[in-house]
Amino acid sequence: MKTTLKTLSALLLATTFALTSCVKKPEVAPEEETPTTTTGGNTSAPPPVTSQPADADGLCVAAKVNVSTSVPGTTMTVNVTMGSATASFYTAPGATTFSDAGTVKTNDSTHAKQSNNSYVFTPKSAQGINYSNNARWSISGNGSISAMTYTSNGFPSTPTLPSLSSFSKANSLTVNSSSVSNADSLCYQITAGSKSIFKMTGASQTSYTFPASEMGTLDATQYGYLTITAYKFNSTMVSGKKYYFINLNTSNKMVEVTN
Protein backbone atom coordinates (compact mmCIF):
# COMPACT_ATOMS: atom_id res chain seq x y z
CA MET A 1 0.00 0.00 0.00
CA LYS A 2 1.54 3.29 -1.07
CA THR A 3 1.63 5.88 1.69
CA THR A 4 2.84 9.41 2.20
CA LEU A 5 4.61 9.94 5.52
CA LYS A 6 3.42 12.93 7.51
CA THR A 7 3.74 14.15 11.07
CA LEU A 8 0.47 15.15 12.70
CA SER A 9 2.22 18.07 14.41
CA ALA A 10 -0.70 20.45 14.18
CA LEU A 11 -3.02 17.81 15.60
CA LEU A 12 -1.03 15.74 18.09
CA LEU A 13 1.53 18.25 19.37
CA ALA A 14 -1.04 19.88 21.66
CA THR A 15 -1.86 16.49 23.15
CA THR A 16 1.74 15.45 23.75
CA PHE A 17 2.53 18.87 25.19
CA ALA A 18 -0.37 18.55 27.62
CA LEU A 19 0.83 15.08 28.56
CA THR A 20 4.43 16.13 29.30
CA SER A 21 3.22 19.28 31.05
CA CYS A 22 1.96 16.97 33.80
CA VAL A 23 5.64 16.29 34.63
CA LYS A 24 7.45 19.21 36.29
CA LYS A 25 10.66 20.21 34.49
CA PRO A 26 13.54 22.21 35.97
CA GLU A 27 13.44 25.96 35.71
CA VAL A 28 16.14 26.47 33.47
CA ALA A 29 3.89 0.91 7.40
CA PRO A 30 6.43 0.02 4.56
CA GLU A 31 10.02 1.10 4.91
CA GLU A 32 10.79 4.61 3.73
CA GLU A 33 13.88 6.77 3.60
CA THR A 34 14.64 8.42 6.93
CA PRO A 35 13.63 12.10 6.68
CA THR A 36 14.38 14.95 9.07
CA THR A 37 11.50 16.94 10.53
CA THR A 38 11.28 20.08 12.63
CA THR A 39 9.57 20.13 16.02
CA GLY A 40 10.10 23.77 16.90
CA GLY A 41 12.48 23.14 19.81
CA ASN A 42 9.77 21.99 22.22
CA THR A 43 10.80 20.02 25.31
CA SER A 44 7.50 18.11 25.23
CA ALA A 45 7.35 14.61 23.78
CA PRO A 46 7.17 14.68 19.97
CA PRO A 47 3.94 13.91 18.10
CA PRO A 48 3.91 10.36 16.71
CA VAL A 49 4.67 9.98 13.03
CA THR A 50 1.79 8.56 11.01
CA SER A 51 1.13 7.81 7.36
CA GLN A 52 -1.67 8.95 5.06
CA PRO A 53 -2.62 6.09 2.75
CA ALA A 54 -2.80 7.34 -0.85
CA ASP A 55 -6.41 6.14 -1.25
CA ALA A 56 -7.71 7.53 2.05
CA ASP A 57 -10.78 9.77 2.12
CA GLY A 58 -10.36 10.08 5.86
CA LEU A 59 -7.92 9.15 8.60
CA CYS A 60 -8.91 8.63 12.25
CA VAL A 61 -6.10 7.99 14.73
CA ALA A 62 -6.56 6.68 18.28
CA ALA A 63 -3.37 6.90 20.32
CA LYS A 64 -2.03 5.53 23.58
CA VAL A 65 0.80 7.95 24.43
CA ASN A 66 3.34 6.81 27.05
CA VAL A 67 6.00 9.22 28.33
CA SER A 68 8.88 8.38 30.68
CA THR A 69 10.64 11.46 32.07
CA SER A 70 13.71 11.50 34.30
CA VAL A 71 13.66 13.99 37.19
CA PRO A 72 16.93 15.98 36.92
CA GLY A 73 19.28 15.59 39.88
CA THR A 74 17.62 12.35 41.03
CA THR A 75 17.32 8.72 39.98
CA MET A 76 13.53 9.06 39.77
CA THR A 77 11.54 8.48 36.60
CA VAL A 78 7.95 9.64 36.12
CA ASN A 79 5.74 7.56 33.79
CA VAL A 80 2.50 9.00 32.38
CA THR A 81 0.02 7.45 29.91
CA MET A 82 -2.67 9.36 28.02
CA GLY A 83 -5.33 8.30 25.54
CA SER A 84 -5.76 10.73 22.64
CA ALA A 85 -7.26 10.91 19.15
CA THR A 86 -7.31 13.00 15.97
CA ALA A 87 -9.32 12.86 12.74
CA SER A 88 -9.04 14.33 9.25
CA PHE A 89 -11.50 13.96 6.35
CA TYR A 90 -9.90 14.88 3.03
CA THR A 91 -11.53 16.85 0.24
CA ALA A 92 -10.04 14.16 -2.07
CA PRO A 93 -7.68 11.22 -1.59
CA GLY A 94 -4.12 12.53 -1.21
CA ALA A 95 -5.32 16.09 -0.54
CA THR A 96 -4.00 18.25 2.29
CA THR A 97 -7.27 20.16 2.75
CA PHE A 98 -10.08 18.85 4.94
CA SER A 99 -13.87 18.62 4.87
CA ASP A 100 -16.26 19.39 7.72
CA ALA A 101 -17.53 16.04 9.10
CA GLY A 102 -19.93 17.41 11.70
CA THR A 103 -19.46 16.15 15.26
CA VAL A 104 -16.65 13.62 15.83
CA LYS A 105 -16.40 11.50 18.98
CA THR A 106 -14.03 8.78 20.15
CA ASN A 107 -15.23 6.58 23.04
CA ASP A 108 -17.83 9.30 23.80
CA SER A 109 -15.15 12.04 23.99
CA THR A 110 -15.97 14.90 21.62
CA HIS A 111 -13.22 16.35 19.45
CA ALA A 112 -12.66 20.06 18.91
CA LYS A 113 -12.97 21.06 15.25
CA GLN A 114 -10.06 23.27 14.13
CA SER A 115 -10.21 26.18 11.71
CA ASN A 116 -8.91 23.91 8.91
CA ASN A 117 -11.66 21.30 9.62
CA SER A 118 -9.31 18.82 11.29
CA TYR A 119 -10.44 17.34 14.62
CA VAL A 120 -8.42 17.15 17.84
CA PHE A 121 -9.24 15.64 21.22
CA THR A 122 -8.40 18.19 23.93
CA PRO A 123 -7.53 16.35 27.18
CA LYS A 124 -8.90 17.66 30.46
CA SER A 125 -6.85 15.25 32.58
CA ALA A 126 -3.57 13.35 32.42
CA GLN A 127 -5.48 10.15 31.54
CA GLY A 128 -7.34 11.47 28.50
CA ILE A 129 -9.46 8.88 26.69
CA ASN A 130 -9.68 5.57 28.54
CA TYR A 131 -9.01 2.92 25.88
CA SER A 132 -9.26 -0.81 26.50
CA ASN A 133 -8.66 -2.83 23.33
CA ASN A 134 -10.65 -0.76 20.86
CA ALA A 135 -11.58 2.77 19.82
CA ARG A 136 -15.24 3.53 19.15
CA TRP A 137 -15.78 6.30 16.60
CA SER A 138 -19.02 8.23 16.03
CA ILE A 139 -19.14 10.77 13.18
CA SER A 140 -22.36 12.71 12.59
CA GLY A 141 -21.44 13.59 9.00
CA ASN A 142 -21.88 16.77 6.97
CA GLY A 143 -22.10 17.48 3.26
CA SER A 144 -19.86 15.02 1.38
CA ILE A 145 -18.97 13.12 4.58
CA SER A 146 -21.59 10.53 5.49
CA ALA A 147 -22.56 9.74 9.07
CA MET A 148 -20.82 6.63 10.37
CA THR A 149 -19.96 4.63 13.45
CA TYR A 150 -16.96 2.31 13.55
CA THR A 151 -15.16 0.26 16.20
CA SER A 152 -11.45 0.08 15.49
CA ASN A 153 -10.35 -3.12 17.20
CA GLY A 154 -6.92 -4.02 18.51
CA PHE A 155 -4.20 -1.78 19.93
CA PRO A 156 -0.59 -2.92 19.59
CA SER A 157 1.24 -3.82 22.78
CA THR A 158 3.39 -1.06 24.30
CA PRO A 159 6.87 -0.86 22.74
CA THR A 160 9.78 -1.02 25.18
CA LEU A 161 12.65 1.46 25.02
CA PRO A 162 16.35 0.82 25.76
CA SER A 163 17.66 1.80 29.19
CA LEU A 164 20.19 4.36 27.98
CA SER A 165 19.72 7.91 29.31
CA SER A 166 22.24 9.76 27.11
CA PHE A 167 24.17 9.30 23.89
CA SER A 168 26.34 11.31 21.49
CA LYS A 169 25.07 12.63 18.20
CA ALA A 170 28.56 12.07 16.79
CA ASN A 171 28.05 8.29 16.52
CA SER A 172 25.56 5.87 15.08
CA LEU A 173 22.93 4.59 17.52
CA THR A 174 21.08 1.28 17.65
CA VAL A 175 17.62 1.46 19.24
CA ASN A 176 16.18 -1.87 20.40
CA SER A 177 12.69 -2.93 21.43
CA SER A 178 11.19 -6.18 22.62
CA SER A 179 8.75 -7.87 20.26
CA VAL A 180 5.51 -5.89 19.78
CA SER A 181 2.28 -7.85 19.33
CA ASN A 182 -0.76 -6.97 17.19
CA ALA A 183 1.14 -4.37 15.13
CA ASP A 184 1.31 -3.83 11.37
CA SER A 185 4.37 -1.55 11.44
CA LEU A 186 6.77 0.30 13.75
CA CYS A 187 8.48 3.68 13.75
CA TYR A 188 11.85 4.35 15.42
CA GLN A 189 12.35 8.05 16.17
CA ILE A 190 14.88 10.36 17.84
CA THR A 191 13.98 13.97 18.58
CA ALA A 192 16.54 16.50 19.83
CA GLY A 193 16.03 20.26 19.92
CA SER A 194 14.48 21.39 16.64
CA LYS A 195 15.29 18.19 14.72
CA SER A 196 13.78 14.72 14.52
CA ILE A 197 14.87 11.68 12.53
CA PHE A 198 12.77 8.54 12.11
CA LYS A 199 12.52 5.23 10.30
CA MET A 200 9.38 3.22 9.47
CA THR A 201 9.90 -0.56 9.57
CA GLY A 202 7.96 -3.78 9.53
CA ALA A 203 6.32 -4.89 12.79
CA SER A 204 8.79 -7.75 13.28
CA GLN A 205 11.93 -5.56 13.19
CA THR A 206 12.96 -5.16 16.83
CA SER A 207 15.91 -2.82 16.30
CA TYR A 208 17.10 -0.07 14.00
CA THR A 209 20.51 1.62 13.70
CA PHE A 210 20.52 5.34 12.94
CA PRO A 211 23.70 6.09 10.94
CA ALA A 212 26.16 8.72 12.17
CA SER A 213 25.34 10.91 9.16
CA GLU A 214 21.73 11.27 10.37
CA MET A 215 22.61 11.46 14.08
CA GLY A 216 24.81 14.46 13.25
CA THR A 217 21.76 16.46 12.12
CA LEU A 218 20.32 16.45 15.66
CA ASP A 219 20.78 19.25 18.19
CA ALA A 220 22.61 18.71 21.47
CA THR A 221 20.08 18.98 24.31
CA GLN A 222 19.23 17.70 27.78
CA TYR A 223 15.63 17.21 26.68
CA GLY A 224 15.77 14.86 23.71
CA TYR A 225 13.40 11.93 23.21
CA LEU A 226 13.63 8.35 22.06
CA THR A 227 10.32 7.17 20.61
CA ILE A 228 9.01 3.87 19.28
CA THR A 229 5.49 3.81 17.86
CA ALA A 230 3.50 0.70 16.92
CA TYR A 231 0.57 0.88 14.46
CA LYS A 232 -2.53 -1.23 13.80
CA PHE A 233 -4.48 -0.36 10.62
CA ASN A 234 -8.22 -0.84 10.06
CA SER A 235 -10.34 0.48 7.18
CA THR A 236 -13.94 0.59 5.97
CA MET A 237 -15.92 1.83 2.97
CA VAL A 238 -18.84 4.23 3.55
CA SER A 239 -20.85 5.65 0.62
CA GLY A 240 -18.05 4.78 -1.81
CA LYS A 241 -15.31 6.43 0.26
CA LYS A 242 -12.47 4.68 2.11
CA TYR A 243 -11.73 5.62 5.71
CA TYR A 244 -8.72 4.39 7.67
CA PHE A 245 -8.76 3.93 11.44
CA ILE A 246 -5.33 3.60 13.03
CA ASN A 247 -4.77 2.43 16.60
CA LEU A 248 -1.28 3.32 17.73
CA ASN A 249 0.73 2.81 20.89
CA THR A 250 3.75 5.07 21.31
CA SER A 251 6.50 5.05 23.95
CA ASN A 252 8.62 8.15 24.61
CA LYS A 253 11.65 8.47 26.88
CA MET A 254 13.48 11.70 27.72
CA VAL A 255 17.22 11.44 27.00
CA GLU A 256 20.24 13.74 26.85
CA VAL A 257 21.88 14.15 23.44
CA THR A 258 25.51 15.30 23.63
CA ASN A 259 27.95 16.53 20.99
Side-chain angles (χ1 to χ4, degrees):
M1 177 179 65
K2 182 180 178 181
T3 62
T4 301
L5 289 177
K6 295 186 176 183
T7 54
L8 294 183
S9 299
L11 305 180
L12 285 165
L13 187 56
T15 295
T16 52
F17 179 78
L19 177 58
T20 10
S21 295
C22 298
V23 180
K24 182 175 176 59
K25 296 186 177 70
E27 292 301 324
V28 294
E31 289 198 7
E32 303 282 349
E33 293 302 315
T34 307
T36 301
T37 62
T38 299
T39 61
N42 292 293
T43 58
S44 57
V49 175
T50 191
S51 55
Q52 176 186 335
D55 60 346
D57 290 287
L59 183 64
C60 298
V61 181
K64 293 183 179 180
V65 184
N66 307 278
V67 179
S68 176
T69 305
S70 298
V71 179
T74 75
T75 58
M76 294 175 57
T77 300
V78 178
N79 300 299
V80 183
T81 299
M82 175 183 283
S84 186
T86 63
S88 301
F89 303 88
Y90 307 111
T91 53
T96 57
T97 53
F98 309 128
S99 297
D100 185 335
T103 300
V104 176
K105 295 182 179 180
T106 310
N107 287 32
D108 300 322
S109 294
T110 302
H111 295 224
K113 186 175 72 171
Q114 308 300 294
S115 59
N116 66 349
N117 287 328
S118 62
Y119 290 82
V120 179
F121 168 72
T122 303
K124 295 180 174 61
S125 69
Q127 183 183 33
I129 301 172
N130 185 17
Y131 293 117
S132 54
N133 197 41
N134 58 56
R136 303 183 309 276
W137 291 85
S138 176
I139 300 154
S140 68
N142 185 59
S144 63
I145 308 300
S146 299
M148 69 187 88
T149 57
Y150 185 82
T151 298
S152 182
N153 291 310
F155 276 86
S157 62
T158 303
T160 60
L161 290 164
S163 59
L164 73 168
S165 58
S166 67
F167 50 83
S168 171
K169 71 189 194 76
N171 305 312
S172 62
L173 180 70
T174 298
V175 180
N176 298 297
S177 174
S178 61
S179 178
V180 178
S181 62
N182 201 38
D184 294 319
S185 59
L186 298 177
C187 178
Y188 293 85
Q189 183 177 1
I190 305 173
T191 304
S194 63
K195 304 296 192 308
S196 182
I197 55 178
F198 64 87
K199 181 69 174 182
M200 300 292 292
T201 74
S204 62
Q205 184 168 329
T206 56
S207 71
Y208 178 72
T209 299
F210 290 93
S213 58
E214 292 169 0
M215 293 291 295
T217 66
L218 298 171
D219 297 328
T221 177
Q222 287 183 287
Y223 308 115
Y225 276 93
L226 283 179
T227 303
I228 301 178
T229 303
Y231 309 83
K232 178 68 177 177
F233 285 81
N234 297 275
S235 65
T236 189
M237 296 291 295
V238 178
S239 300
K241 293 187 175 185
K242 191 169 188 178
Y243 297 95
Y244 284 84
F245 295 83
I246 301 176
N247 290 350
L248 66 83
N249 200 342
T250 183
S251 294
N252 302 270
K253 180 181 181 181
M254 182 178 282
V255 293
E256 180 179 9
V257 181
T258 63
N259 285 312

